[in-house]
């Protein structure tokens, strides 16, 4: 059974930083692209960043950096200079293969999400 468990969310002031983690189990971690998506209330799910087992990565936010530890089966999202508009639930997702994609429909497994709230 595949499980993706996010952690590291919370309340942070604008300009601050957070590091999200996603621990994976039940899958051959290195064979999956791991992605981060976010969804704010009333908004569409939005791609944030993704990284393949090879290390190839994509990100839409220059303030955010994705990384992974294939031994620990964990993917991270370092978020710096946070803004109010970064407030959302952040979900980890896994997509079998090596092609980094931005469409949420490409991803096979999802975590429950972790809330990130940025205050002024």
């Amino acid at each position: 059974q595949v499980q993706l468990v996010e952690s590291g969310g919370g309340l942070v002031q604008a300009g601050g930083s957070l590091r999200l983690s996603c621990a994976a189990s039940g899958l051959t971690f290195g064979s999956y692209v791991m992605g981060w998506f976010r969804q704010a209330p009333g908004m569409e799910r939005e791609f944030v960043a993704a990284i393949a087992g090879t290390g190839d990565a994509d990100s839409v936010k220059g303030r955010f950096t994705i990384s992974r530890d294939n031994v620990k089966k964990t993917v991270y999202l370092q978020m710096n200079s946070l803004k109010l508009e970064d407030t959302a639930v952040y979900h980890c997702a896994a997509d079998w293969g090596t092609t980094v994609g931005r469409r949420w429909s490409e991803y096979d497994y999802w975590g429950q999400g972790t809330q990130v709230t940025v205050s002024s």
Side-chain angles (χ1 to χ4, degrees):
Q1 181 181 358
V2 175
Q3 283 193 312
L4 302 176
V5 181
E6 302 96 335
S7 61
L11 176 64
V12 63
Q13 284 194 321
S17 298
L18 280 176
R19 188 175 84 151
L20 305 183
S21 299
C22 171
S25 61
L27 50 73
T28 307
F29 187 73
S31 297
Y32 283 78
V33 172
M34 299 302 296
W36 286 98
F37 291 77
R38 70 185 187 184
Q39 190 164 21
M43 303 292 285
E44 295 286 323
R45 197 175 314 183
E46 176 185 26
F47 172 80
V48 176
I51 185 168
T54 57
D56 291 340
D58 184 21
S59 173
V60 297
K61 304 292 182 184
R63 299 175 287 115
F64 296 177
T65 303
I66 190 170
S67 61
R68 63 189 290 160
D69 185 327
N70 287 337
V71 174
K72 294 182 177 179
K73 297 186 177 182
T74 301
V75 60
Y76 305 97
L77 185 69
Q78 177 67 43
M79 305 187 294
N80 297 327
S81 302
L82 283 162
K83 303 178 180 181
L84 296 179
E85 53 264 40
D86 294 321
T87 294
V89 176
Y90 285 71
H91 294 271
C92 172
D95 173 30
W96 188 88
T98 58
T99 301
V100 176
R102 294 187 173 192
R103 294 192 298 269
W104 65 265
S105 59
E106 299 174 3
Y107 289 75
D108 306 305
Y109 302 104
W110 291 83
Q112 291 296 309
T114 185
Q115 175 71 47
V116 172
T117 303
V118 184
S119 65
S120 59

